[in-house]
Amino acid sequence: MLTAARSPELPVYPRLDLEPQRGSGSTLVASDGRELLDLYGGHAVAVTGHCHPKVVAAVREQAARLLFYSNAVPLAVRDRVHELLIELAPAGLEQCFLVNSGAEANDVALQLARRLTGRRRVVVMEGGFHGRSLATLAASGLPRYRQLAEKSGGQALVDLTAVAPFDDPRALAGLVDAQVAAVLLEPVQGLAGARELRRETLAEARRACDAAGALLIFDEVQCGCGRTGAFTAAEAYGVRPDILTLAKGIAAGLPMGAVLVSGRVAMAVGEGDLGSTFGGGPVAAAAAAANLEVLRDEHLPERAAALELRLRRALAAVPAVLRISGKGLLLGVHLDRPARGVQASLFERGFLVGTAVDPRVLRLLPPLVLRDDEADRFAAALQEVLR
Ligand SMILES: Cc1ncc(COP(=O)(O)O)c(C=O)c1O
């Protein structure tokens, strides 16, 4: 029975004091009429901005025709998403499977790697976060999440996970042997504080996987979909994984994740090996197709790269900013003080930003449609708050 004072919702989320009512581009309007500039991008989801008119029109049109049918039938709108993802992904990733979230995509990636290689062990990196299914919690490079897996019956999976130190190519390569099914990496770590790996580390991971017969998996759930300056970080870095996962930015806020695989991995997948009732459902697919077309046609990855330079230039001039990490529009602003207070002051001034596991990092993951004047307004506000 519920006690009177308790919300019926489980209390798992710390929440901001803000109820967004409407969104357009990078702007949110709250229920009390306040306007905020959203440099948190709806949690890295709103790559084409909030409520892009083409995405909204596609969702409306699809919802009025057919809300849902599962993968038991072919759907042209779902096929369109497959085509767009493979068109936008780097060469070598040839087929994909649609799911509903980042955790589900990574779970599928780990399953495929283990089944295909017949091996159990995985190598991950300190600071990596891959979701909250049991297998992805166990594969986290953050102790807090591995502990959750242990407490949830996942000790065996935790024991099968080796954690490489952050961005150390030699140490990483040293862990990849003939027992290892996969190396699972976020090319730019999100939750840890927008920490980019060096190209050298990713290239060494590729080499070590090839030498040991293991698969390289890039988790681009947060850093993918144009955020790093190319559609995938794999392309931005010029290192090709065997499996690449996407989620947050694909469908402008409708639930969708994707697992993109190389031809070799695809050859090993047959009927009945994977499944998902809602994966690639028509409304989410309509949103994704429109969203991916906007991303491509409005050249938003290039926009992310240009905005990175603009923000870096403006923020580097602020004395309290010690350094800026990350790539494209997944940036970590390293401060000389705790980030929480700065986040709160920015919020009071109408700017929404994220924090990270590192308590002195402000995490920026704005829509890729952020305008120059909006980026400048944010930089000026941060300067004022830090003065
Ligand atoms: C890099 C990364 N992987 C996986 C996930 C899990 O995605 P989801 O919450 O959609 O399951 C997240 C979510 O924050 C993420 O940032």
Side-chain angles (χ1 to χ4, degrees):
M1 213 172 74
L2 296 173
T3 54
R6 279 200 148 183
S7 155
E9 185 189 22
L10 283 172
V12 299
Y13 293 116
R15 290 215 165 107
L16 291 167
D17 181 21
L18 162 79
E19 189 186 357
Q21 293 277 302
R22 281 180 288 123
S24 171
S26 305
T27 301
L28 291 174
V29 181
S31 50
D32 59 7
R34 259 182 314 163
E35 271 200 16
L36 287 110
L37 189 62
D38 184 12
L39 289 112
Y40 193 55
H43 217 121
V45 166
V47 289
T48 58
H50 293 285
C51 297
H52 193 290
K54 288 185 178 160
V55 178
V56 172
V59 168
R60 279 213 176 102
E61 194 276 332
Q62 180 61 50
R65 271 194 305 117
L66 179 68
L67 274 180
F68 187 71
Y69 214 94
S70 75
N71 286 288
V73 300
L75 290 173
V77 67
R78 187 194 297 128
D79 286 343
R80 183 77 194 119
V81 179
H82 295 139
E83 280 164 16
L84 280 162
L85 285 172
I86 296 307
E87 173 196 319
L88 292 168
L93 294 171
E94 294 178 7
Q95 287 186 290
C96 59
F97 178 67
L98 298 177
V99 293
N100 302 286
S101 69
E104 192 183 354
N106 287 327
D107 208 297
V108 165
L110 289 169
Q111 283 185 43
L112 287 177
R114 286 182 161 130
R115 285 191 221 155
L116 185 61
T117 59
R119 304 171 182 178
R120 300 281 163 80
R121 296 189 63 77
V122 298
V123 175
V124 300
M125 184 169 286
E126 185 266 310
F129 176 76
H130 306 293
R132 286 173 173 269
S133 69
L134 197 50
T136 54
L137 280 174
S140 179
L142 292 161
R144 170 178 151 67
Y145 297 104
R146 279 201 307 284
Q147 282 157 16
L148 284 180
E150 282 170 5
K151 289 183 193 160
S152 316
Q155 186 68 55
L157 287 166
V158 173
D159 292 344
L160 288 169
T161 305
V163 183
F166 179 72
D167 202 26
D168 180 339
R170 288 185 67 185
L172 173 71
L175 292 172
V176 185
D177 61 22
Q179 312 294 314
V180 170
V183 174
L184 168 61
L185 301 172
E186 276 183 274
V188 184
Q189 293 185 341
L191 185 59
R195 303 198 298 182
E196 79 282 16
L197 304 194
R198 284 171 300 157
R199 184 185 183 283
E200 189 187 337
T201 304
L202 296 173
E204 185 61 12
R206 175 71 276 169
R207 194 204 57 73
C209 284
D210 288 341
L215 299 186
L216 181 59
I217 306 172
F218 281 178
D219 172 353
E220 299 209 21
V221 166
Q222 187 160 151
C223 68
C225 291
R227 197 162 280 288
T228 59
F231 181 65
T232 59
E235 187 185 333
Y237 278 101
V239 177
R240 187 181 58 74
D242 301 290
I243 304 180
L244 187 148
T245 59
L246 298 168
K248 295 185 188 292
I250 297 182
L254 276 84
M256 181 175 280
V259 186
L260 280 61
V261 303
S262 69
R264 186 164 72 93
V265 174
M267 296 250 291
V269 180
E271 221 172 273
D273 285 349
L274 300 171
S276 177
T277 297
F278 290 119
V283 178
N291 190 52
L292 293 170
E293 278 168 1
V294 168
L295 193 83
R296 179 193 63 192
D297 299 344
E298 295 186 7
H299 308 288
L300 296 186
E302 290 91 324
R303 183 77 196 130
L307 276 164
E308 174 187 5
L309 291 181
R310 193 176 189 94
L311 282 166
R312 277 185 180 274
R313 212 175 297 131
L315 299 181
V318 182
V321 173
L322 304 180
R323 78 185 175 90
I324 298 163
S325 61
K327 200 169 174 63
L329 286 184
L330 175 49
L331 293 175
V333 184
H334 296 244
L335 304 173
D336 65 356
R337 64 197 77 180
R340 286 254 173 235
V342 178
Q343 181 191 39
S345 301
L346 284 166
F347 184 63
E348 279 164 22
R349 286 169 167 76
F351 298 91
L352 210 53
V353 297
T355 53
V357 169
D358 184 333
R360 289 177 178 248
V361 171
L362 279 183
R363 188 164 36 134
L364 306 181
L365 6 81
L368 278 46
V369 294
L370 188 75
R371 297 191 316 258
D372 286 350
D373 64 297
E374 291 173 329
D376 295 348
R377 203 149 54 77
F378 166 70
L382 182 62
Q383 180 146 27
E384 194 184 300
V385 164
L386 291 172
R387 190 168 291 145

